[in-house]
Amino acid sequence: MLEKLAATLALPHHAGPSFRLANLLSCLLLSLAILAFSSGYRSDNGWLVDSQGKPVPHDFVNFYTAGMLVQRGKPADAYIWERQKVVQKELVGQHLEAFLPWPYPPIALPAAQLLALPSYPVSFLLFAALSLALCAAAATLIVGTPSAALWVAASSLAFVNIYIGQNGLMTAALFGLGLFLLPTRPVAAGIFFGALAFKPHLGLLLPLFLIMLGQWRAFASAAVTTIAAIGLSIAVYGREPWLAFIRQLGRVGDASMGLESTVIIKLQSVYALLRRLDMGTGPAMAAHVAVALAAMAAAAWLWRSDKPYAIKAAVLLTVTALLSPYLFIYDLALLLIAQAFLIRYLLDRDGDLGIRMWAAMLGLNVTILLYPSIEQPTGLAATLILGGILAAQAIAGSGKATALPQTATASSPC
């Protein structure tokens, strides 16, 4: 039976038992996720729409209502909380419990406008499917086998993003595709990096990474892409959305950085952990910055070394997840791509992962999955664990590979 399943999943016959177990577990988890989503499609305690057909107020609501406002010729209203809330209540109905602000810069408005074209359920499902497909494709390209797509689809981070309709998988896909293309197609890579400007707090390390690797063409391409996106948004929607976006930044910052306890519970950062332990805002932020600077210094040392490119890319993604104090559980989809690069690094170096490393990967997913039940920053714990694994591998490993090979040189890691 294992051989038949291995053939179905494009797993080479000579792959180790640990790989087959990983595929079996992924299939089981994916089946359970599909069953859970299907059973909760339309019910009072459902996932996507309730028994009356009204959208369940998950995060995707603010994507959709921002698009509705753009379609109505009022793009700036997406950043005016009182007007955005009216449209959200119109969409969701009276059971809207919490207002979901639209925090993204106006370069994201064209995407929101497209999302609002179909009905809400169709838009939600299309966005989730596209995000998952792109993230899975990025992991497949990095690892070198389609089996990596199965591993991504079965992950707890994919489940979280699809359940609430967030864009973490899309962000991870842009990072993954850009980093995969960087060694051989720097201009194309820069376009993907420039597209990340819709989440600027997650792209802060990218310029330093590109500079330290001497990737000036990618740096220029990313800058041009970002500037072009800003110019296009002004040409299409005018200056008012940008002015409204800037005016609301203070309110978004207050809500996101802990003046509201309900938000602090959701953040997955050192800052949030210390605030939950009753540390003051100033000391907690100082401690967070100290940890972030230490992680950046370690990453910069690695990037200047002759370590293989795959480990450098994995470290970039992991340190990015530590850098921002404003980080939600869905943003940690970046760790999926970091793990893909780690897998590729280990395969290129050793030709295998071994049961201990697969156990560590499973432990990361379980740690993240505990968050909804215990409401503790388990995502931060997973990030620190992955950072420790990468540090150990970077110290123990050797080699001067600077480019990512285009095909796998070993058996499937999944």
Side-chain angles (χ1 to χ4, degrees), residues 324-385:
S324 174
Y326 173 69
L327 196 83
F328 290 97
I329 192 75
Y330 53 80
D331 290 318
L332 291 176
L334 292 176
L335 300 186
L336 292 173
I337 303 300
Q339 290 173 72
F341 276 110
L342 173 60
I343 291 171
R344 183 56 181 271
Y345 168 72
L346 293 172
L347 286 176
D348 287 342
R349 191 189 70 183
D350 303 329
D352 199 357
L353 270 74
I355 192 65
R356 290 182 180 178
M357 186 56 68
W358 277 120
M361 299 285 186
L362 178 60
L364 286 173
N365 273 279
V366 172
T367 300
I368 292 168
L369 198 58
L370 289 174
Y371 164 72
S373 59
I374 67 175
E375 291 191 341
Q376 297 295 327
T378 59
L380 171 63
T383 304
L384 293 173
I385 292 170

Side-chain angles (χ1 to χ4, degrees), residues 25-39 154 159 369:
L25 183 59
S26 294
C27 286
L28 174 62
L29 293 174
L30 188 57
S31 299
L32 291 174
I34 292 172
L35 180 63
F37 284 130
S38 300
S39 62
F159 181 89
L369 198 58

